Amino acid sequence: MVLLYDWSDKHKEGVTLMNSPVHASDLPDNQFDIGIVGAGMVGSALACGLARANYRVVVFDRQRPPPFDPQSQPGIRVSALSLASQKMLADYGAWQYIEAMRRCPYRRLAVWEKSAPRLPLPKLGGHRGTLFNCKDIHTPELGSIVENNLTHLALHKAMESLPGITSMCPANLEDLNFSPDTATLTLTQHPPVTMKLVIGADGALSQVRKWANIDFSSDQYEQQAMVITVEYAGKQQDITWQEFTPTGPLAFLPLPDVAGKHYASLVWYNTADNIDRLMKLGESQLIGQIWQHYPDCLPAVTGIVDRGRFPLIKRHAQTYFSKRAVLVGDAAHTINPLAGQGVNLGFQDVMALVAILSRDGKPLADPGEAVHLRRYESERRPLNGQMMLAMDLFYHAFSNNHTPLKLLRYLGLNLADKLPFAKQQVLQYATGIKSPPRWLFR
Ligand SMILES: Cc1cc2nc3c(=O)[nH]c(=O)nc-3n(C[C@H](O)[C@H](O)[C@H](O)COP(=O)(O)OP(=O)(O)OC[C@H]3O[C@@H](n4cnc5c(N)ncnc54)[C@H](O)[C@@H]3O)c2cc1C
């Protein structure tokens, strides 16, 4: 990888001079096959995939991932990565770096509802929900909880080891213009950069989406998510679980141990007002509230490491491409994090686009041709849309006390647990081992 800007050293020295070229002799010409705006988790994965297909790629970002400190407590932003995402990261040479830093594999996953309906129900067995186990699908684990910063850093390390990637981070982009054959990005303090295809991997508020005049639908959920990183006592957990309550789900995600201490990420969905109140509490008061509201299976919380709040907004781009621009990841879709699917869907976009833009591992003459971008859109947009719809159904079905719905979800959760074949299928779809059948998405 060619580094055009190196922010990290200047940053360490506290110098805020940005955008100064550091390897002037390495400056390539300003023509690339593909430019990627946004080198977050999705953009940097895509850069790796496209460079492996022998494209000449340039990536732009406002920032680089922070360095890893093994003694640091876990960061507040974490994601549950599916087995399919882990495999993609391994194929792209990034997983080894995550393994060398830290991750927390989870082997079991449970969902249940807090209050069973007071109705004459058939006896469905011991517990009120569904427990998935990696043994059900004969894998050593169901996935991993990884700090977003570490996935990001691992992918940047993988990019560094690949020829064909030029990194312009930090870059300050000013404008994007198209001709019939090219897309050109204008930067502050740098000559314009031209490419055959520009990819918007620049997150939920995508500037590429705006420049390409791609409209999007947007809907804010009533609930918000509060994420709390906690330290806990007892045994290290290998289970992630979610309890549905009438005010919103309460989730537990185990994190890797640091210096012999156990950590977890709690996600507390609730109204904006209640989250306002929780955010303002002192440490011991917040621990008290967690004890009051979380179920008994929560291990003893001994400290609060960090907390943050996230409004939940669903966005979907009306089209995934326009002219010579195409969108991936959160730039194309943001989804309710209820089932931890956001970045996993982004990685699926990456795998689909890389497969479409390479023929037997070789680059196409013109990756920006509409025929390829249309194929990508028709493959990914319906799947992402249906996943968003499924999350909406889940959100609304579990956010009210309507008796028939209570009965249905109680039966659904319990029956799922009692039907081994159905359970195995659901688990294979959830971990990305298998794609759901097409008819499910019509
Ligand atoms: C509370 C919460 C919990 C979640 N949990 C999970 C989970 O368990 N599993 C899961 O799969 N997903 C989860 N998600 C979703 C996941 O975090 C996102 O889907 C993911 O971060 C999107 O990655 P991205 O690379 O597409 O976008 P981003 O992470 O937003 O990255 C965009 C990049 O573009 C750069 N950028 C932006 N604008 C510009 C510009 N103009 N010029 C240059 N660079 C630019 C940014 O600096 C950034 O590096 C969760 C989300 C939330 C809110």
Side-chain angles (χ1 to χ4, degrees):
M1 179 170 81
V2 179
L3 265 186
L4 284 192
Y5 302 136
D6 192 349
W7 161 245
S8 53
D9 289 344
K10 295 185 180 67
H11 189 65
K12 270 186 235 147
E13 292 160 21
V15 180
T16 51
L17 176 66
M18 292 169 71
N19 285 353
S20 52
V22 287
H23 300 314
S25 59
D26 285 339
L27 277 178
D29 60 25
N30 290 333
Q31 312 272 327
F32 293 88
D33 295 320
I34 297 178
I36 301 176
V37 178
M41 293 189 281
V42 173
S44 46
L46 190 53
C48 293
L50 293 170
R52 288 162 56 89
N54 292 309
Y55 279 106
R56 238 176 122 242
V57 180
V58 56
V59 295
F60 307 89
D61 204 303
R62 294 190 186 117
Q63 60 204 11
R64 290 166 58 79
F68 172 58
D69 170 6
Q71 296 308 316
S72 63
Q73 292 174 311
I76 184 96
R77 295 297 309 267
V78 304
S79 294
L81 299 181
S82 69
L83 293 180
S85 295
Q86 290 186 189
K87 182 177 180 311
M88 183 209 74
L89 291 165
D91 290 346
Y92 290 176
W95 189 248
Q96 53 174 323
Y97 297 114
I98 292 177
E99 296 254 58
M101 291 184 285
R102 61 194 184 200
R103 70 175 179 118
C104 184
Y106 60 93
R107 300 188 170 83
R108 296 174 299 145
L109 183 157
V111 276
W112 67 87
E113 191 175 4
K114 186 173 186 172
S115 45
R118 289 192 195 95
L119 288 163
L121 287 163
K123 287 248 183 282
L124 290 168
H127 60 86
R128 295 175 308 223
T130 301
L131 174 70
F132 297 99
N133 194 312
C134 59
K135 289 183 193 149
D136 297 336
I137 50 168
H138 315 291
T139 55
E141 57 198 48
L142 292 176
S144 299
I145 316 292
V146 186
E147 292 152 73
N148 289 2
N149 275 344
L150 301 191
T151 305
H152 191 193
L153 182 61
L155 280 160
H156 274 245
K157 283 176 183 283
M159 283 204 295
E160 280 163 25
S161 67
L162 286 165
I165 302 179
T166 298
S167 171
M168 299 180 88
C169 305
N172 197 10
L173 304 178
E174 289 184 341
D175 204 359
L176 171 63
N177 290 290
F178 299 95
S179 78
D181 301 324
T182 58
T184 300
L185 279 163
T186 313
L187 290 88
T188 310
Q189 294 178 8
H190 193 277
V193 181
T194 296
M195 56 218 70
K196 293 174 190 162
L197 171 66
V198 62
I199 298 176
D202 47 348
L205 304 176
S206 172
Q207 184 62 50
V208 170
R209 190 176 63 207
K210 208 187 252 173
W211 279 326
N213 279 323
I214 297 178
D215 211 351
F216 63 99
S217 59
S218 166
D219 209 355
Q220 178 150 3
Y221 294 95
E222 218 175 294
Q223 287 172 10
Q224 296 197 353
M226 178 169 172
V227 179
I228 314 167
T229 308
V230 298
E231 195 183 320
Y232 66 87
K235 243 178 64 188
Q236 219 234 348
Q237 302 286 303
D238 72 347
I239 185 167
T240 177
W241 49 256
Q242 188 147 299
E243 178 181 75
F244 287 94
T245 80
T247 49
L250 298 168
F252 172 90
L253 292 86
L255 297 176
D257 282 1
V258 181
K261 292 183 175 160
H262 306 319
Y263 295 92
S265 177
L266 307 183
V267 191
W268 191 334
Y269 296 82
N270 214 307
T271 59
D273 287 349
N274 278 338
I275 288 186
D276 266 349
R277 191 177 53 77
L278 292 168
M279 284 294 292
K280 288 180 189 143
L281 295 179
E283 183 173 22
S284 55
Q285 288 170 308
L286 183 56
I287 292 177
Q289 286 294 303
I290 291 170
W291 270 114
Q292 194 179 326
H293 293 276
Y294 261 71
D296 294 345
C297 57
L298 180 75
V301 171
T302 54
I304 304 287
V305 175
D306 203 356
R307 61 183 97 171
R309 70 186 301 168
F310 300 88
L312 304 179
I313 303 173
K314 176 179 73 171
R315 298 184 188 84
H316 205 186
Q318 306 285 11
T319 165
Y320 280 11
F321 75 98
S322 167
K323 298 177 185 157
R324 285 180 170 268
V326 67
L327 304 177
V328 292
D330 274 22
H333 44 80
T334 57
I335 182 172
N336 192 321
L338 203 59
Q341 285 300 318
V343 79
N344 290 302
L345 290 182
F347 287 153
Q348 284 174 31
D349 294 347
V350 167
M351 289 183 268
L353 193 56
V354 169
I356 288 167
L357 295 184
S358 54
R359 199 152 290 150
D360 302 324
K362 296 204 181 78
L364 305 179
D366 185 358
E369 273 183 336
V371 61
H372 310 306
L373 309 184
R374 190 168 295 116
R375 214 180 120 201
Y376 161 74
E377 178 185 76
S378 59
E379 203 170 296
R380 291 302 306 156
R381 197 170 181 281
L383 290 173
N384 291 331
Q386 294 302 325
M387 183 59 83
M388 294 168 99
L389 186 67
M391 288 309 107
D392 267 2
L393 289 176
F394 238 80
Y395 174 87
H396 292 296
F398 281 94
S399 303
N400 74 67
N401 264 330
H402 190 47
T403 304
L405 266 182
K406 276 191 97 170
L407 175 60
L408 264 180
R409 62 196 189 217
Y410 177 78
L411 286 173
L413 283 178
N414 282 279
L415 277 175
D417 200 52
K418 304 292 165 267
L419 299 172
F421 178 73
K423 203 169 151 184
Q424 198 182 50
Q425 295 297 307
V426 169
L427 206 46
Q428 285 178 338
Y429 304 149
T431 52
I433 288 180
K434 211 166 146 183
S435 302
R438 287 257 156 196
W439 57 261
L440 256 183
F441 294 100
R442 281 199 197 115

